[in-house]
Amino acid sequence: MNEELVTAVENEEEFVDETLVCKECGNEFVFTAGEQKFYKEKGFLNKPKSCKACRDAKKNAGRAPREYFTTTCAKCGGEAKVIFQPSNDRPVYCSACFEEMKKNAQ
């Protein structure tokens, strides 16, 4: 058998989904095989203690919610929602038109 293949088989671990309990809300959540592989690759030693929803809530706790402004797209005339206060001196585009212009510029 090829030496490289033997080494690869020896180093390969089988990861299986594992159900854990969130320390914040007490709900069960799945620590997937893919997440376990990612944790191992990054060198993380401990399993997650909180579910995704509680981790996201904790991460966003200090942030103010974003304010969106509605305006008219300068290209198609449709509705454009943006995170900045639009001014009349510069055109504002909806997401679709902005992506199209960005794609055409490349």
Side-chain angles (χ1 to χ4, degrees), residues 26-78:
N27 293 330
E28 291 185 345
F29 66 98
V30 178
F31 185 37
T32 66
E35 290 171 327
Q36 292 173 39
K37 184 177 179 186
F38 174 81
Y39 271 51
K40 178 153 178 95
E41 289 171 356
K42 295 296 181 183
F44 301 147
L45 303 176
N46 299 318
K47 297 176 186 177
K49 298 196 184 318
S50 302
C51 65
K52 175 96 170 99
C54 289
R55 289 193 311 263
D56 288 346
K58 187 175 183 180
K59 183 172 97 175
N60 295 324
R63 294 185 184 166
R66 280 196 168 171
E67 182 179 359
Y68 287 90
F69 300 91
T70 304
T71 188
T72 303
C73 176
K75 186 171 182 184
C76 71

Side-chain angles (χ1 to χ4, degrees), residues 71 74 84-93:
T71 188
F84 56 89
Q85 177 70 52
S87 61
N88 293 330
D89 62 336
R90 296 186 70 182
V92 177
Y93 304 101

